[in-house]
Structures are given as C-alpha cells and as structure tokens.
Amino acid sequence: MRFIFKTDYGQDIKLAKHGGHVFWYGALMLLLVAAPWLFAEYWLAQLTFILIYSIAGLGLMLLAGFTGLFSLGHAAFLGVGAYTQAVMTNAGVPFPIALACAAGLSAAVGLVVGLPALRVKGIYLGMATLSFGFIVEEVFARWEKVTGGNAGIHIKAPDMFGWKLDSGESFYFLCLVLAVGSTLAILNLLRSPTGRAFVAIRDSEISAQSMGIHLARYKTLSFALSAALAGIAGALYAHKLQFISPEQFNILQSIDLLLMIVVGGVGSVHGAFLGAIFLISMPQAIALVKDYLPAAIGQAPGLQGVVYGMVLIAFVLFEPLGLYGRWLKIRTYLQTFPFYRKGMFKRQKSFQKSDRLK
C-alpha cells in the first residue's frame, strides 16, 4: 500500500517513506478510531483535549518551528476562534459554517498581527504579540454585549445541519477528523514551494531574500495560517467546555502553547502531538505525585507552574530538539548499534551553528 501524490512537475511525493510508516501509522489510526470502545469517558475526554491542543500546536509549530517567528500571544487567536464559534452557534448557524467563519476571522486577525513581523523579530516580536494578547483579552472582558464579559458565555452543542453532536464519542470523532485533516494539510504545505519558503526564512532571511522570496508576503501568510488553525482549535475548545470566559485565553494559555511545542520538539509535526500529550497529562501526573510530597511542597499553590518552568529549562539546556528529538536519537542508536558514537549529534549541532547564515 503506497501513499503517493503527483506534483505538477511529474515528481512523486510519498507521505509514507516506507512500509513501516504505513504499518505503524495505520495501527495508530485504528487505535484512535477504536478509542471510544477501549477507554472510559474520562480518558476519552483527555484524548479529545489532546487532539484539540494538537491542532493549535500545529499552527504554532508552523509559525515558530518552520518560519522562525515566535508568538507569546497565541492564546488570543484561540480566543477569537472560540468566541466566534460561540456567538454564531448560539445564533443558530450550522457548525461547518461557524467553524469556517471562526478560522477565517482568526486568520484575518493573524494577518493584521503579522504586520509587525515585517519590521521586528526575536524578542521584540515576542513583546509585540504579548501586547496583542493583552489587548484581545481586555476586549473579551469589555465587549459584554457579544462576549458576555467576565461572566462568560455558554455555547450549544455542534449542529451539523440538524445532526447534533452532543455525545462525547461523536465530538471525539469530529476532533479526530479535523486533527488528521490539519496534519495532512500541514505536511503537504511543507512539501510545497510555500512551505519551503517558510523554512528558508527560518534558516536565514538574508539568504531567502536573495533567492527571491518575498519576506513580507510569506511572514504574514504564516501568521494567517497559524492563526486559522488556532481558531479551529479554539472553536473545538469552546464546544468541549461548553463555556468560555476571558481568563481562559490569557498569557498563561499562550505560555502553555509555547511550552507545548518546545517540549514536543520545535520544527517537527510530531512535536505538536507529543507536546499536546505532555501538556494534558502533566497536571494529572502532578496531582498523583503531590500526595507523596511533603505538605509544604505538595500543597503549594504554584507547584504546577514551578514544575513547568523546571521542565522547560531542562529541555532548553539538555534536549533542545524536544521529545521528538530524543526519540530520533534513540531510534538512531538502535539502527546503528553497536556503531553509534556519542558525539554524533553534538557535531551536527556545532555544524549548524557555524555554517548557517543568520
């Protein structure tokens, strides 16, 4: 079984590099499809949240991991999609139309926010997106006629032209379809000239511009596509919780999204999913462990934030490629055993630092 597409130039593009990929990804899909019959309701809800955050992670990964533009206000796009979906769904608009509007409005906002990226980068771009996040959160809190203000707003179950997805199983399958579709869209985008332009900008803006890549066009496009995926995730997030309020889309949510892609592995599609698994499973792991810790530590109100900070620092210092990078090293070790050499990845890292033009 081969997954091959033809390009306009007659070249073959293989989504699965070999039969092993087809087998393991096929087995994973079978497991995900059978999840409602294998897991209890609680674990199915956690798996649904993983799929939702994976979609948001794919968007942020496209922006930060493949274009090199870091955002500290990405929760604002999540909120725009969530509130757009809530308002339109409560007005009786069918789910597909409301979802398209949520993604479109988030993309439009991302296009506007992407304009500062034409002039600033690095920490200054982070400050600009952080300020945007604060502004959007304040708009959500003050625009009470639309958003309900700090009191929040309830949202109805998704309505697919008369078919209501009001059960956990049906909504899970909806999230699964959208997550798979978003993943395939990102994979094909990265193989296209647009995706290669994004990667070229990430590696070196000077080199990309010298090759004829329009920096302004592709930077704003990256922001728009990333915001659109965040809007889709926000719409699903609103339906899953059935209630949203401004504090759900604050700076802490933006940091969680950034932590997700850093821990998962910046610059890899797999990293978005691994980071989502980490982000959803970590609070449960902390809740299980804190009962065995001394009361002064286990009952501390900021324990989760401290653990997240320690994990982030540890990954930045000892595993910059994230969980997916660690898996690649383990896989390489198994493939090359007993000829694996410890300095293999260290030399590769120093090569990139010395020969890549910034």
Side-chain angles (χ1 to χ4, degrees), residues 289-300:
V289 173
K290 71 178 183 179
D291 294 335
Y292 300 95
L293 298 175
I297 299 177
Q299 303 302 323

Side-chain angles (χ1 to χ4, degrees), residues 161-195:
F161 300 103
W163 176 36
K164 285 191 175 294
L165 305 178
D166 51 1
S167 66
E169 293 79 6
S170 59
F171 187 73
Y172 165 77
F173 282 118
L174 174 63
C175 294
L176 179 60
V177 170
L178 291 175
V180 172
S182 300
T183 304
L184 293 177
I186 290 295
L187 289 175
N188 282 282
L189 175 66
L190 294 175
R191 290 177 170 89
S192 69
T194 301

Side-chain angles (χ1 to χ4, degrees), residues 152-342:
I153 184 175
H154 291 271
I155 181 172
K156 300 177 182 178
D159 184 0
M160 301 281 287
F161 300 103
W163 176 36
K164 285 191 175 294
L165 305 178
D166 51 1
S167 66
E169 293 79 6
S170 59
F171 187 73
Y172 165 77
F173 282 118
L174 174 63
C175 294
L176 179 60
V177 170
L178 291 175
V180 172
S182 300
T183 304
L184 293 177
I186 290 295
L187 289 175
N188 282 282
L189 175 66
L190 294 175
R191 290 177 170 89
S192 69
T194 301
R196 296 179 188 276
F198 289 159
V199 175
I201 293 173
R202 178 198 66 185
D203 290 343
S204 173
E205 291 188 7
I206 298 175
S207 300
Q209 197 169 19
S210 68
M211 291 187 294
I213 296 175
H214 197 290
L215 296 183
R217 179 187 305 162
Y218 285 103
K219 281 185 176 182
T220 53
L221 179 60
S222 179
F223 258 102
L225 294 176
S226 177
L229 286 173
I232 294 174
L236 297 174
Y237 182 79
H239 278 298
K240 181 59 181 175
L241 294 180
Q242 298 180 348
F243 174 82
I244 53 175
S245 58
E247 61 267 16
Q248 293 172 323
F249 309 104
N250 55 16
I251 177 62
L252 296 179
Q253 183 75 276
S254 297
I255 294 176
D256 282 346
L257 293 175
L258 191 60
L259 173 70
M260 180 174 65
I261 67 167
V262 172
V263 172
V266 177
S268 66
V269 175
H270 295 80
F273 290 89
L274 294 175
I277 294 173
F278 166 83
L279 190 66
I280 298 301
S281 61
M282 199 63 180
Q284 280 75 20
I286 294 175
L288 291 175
V289 173
K290 71 178 183 179
D291 294 335
Y292 300 95
L293 298 175
I297 299 177
Q299 303 302 323
L303 178 62
Q304 181 171 325
V306 172
V307 173
Y308 277 16
M310 293 175 61
V311 170
L312 180 60
I313 293 174
F315 271 94
V316 170
L317 291 178
F318 304 109
E319 191 51 82
L321 298 179
L323 292 173
Y324 185 63
R326 174 54 56 180
W327 158 245
L328 290 179
K329 293 179 181 180
I330 294 174
R331 188 182 67 181
T332 303
Y333 172 80
L334 296 175
Q335 290 176 343
T336 58
F337 184 83
F339 303 106
Y340 176 86
R341 299 185 63 180
K342 186 176 180 180

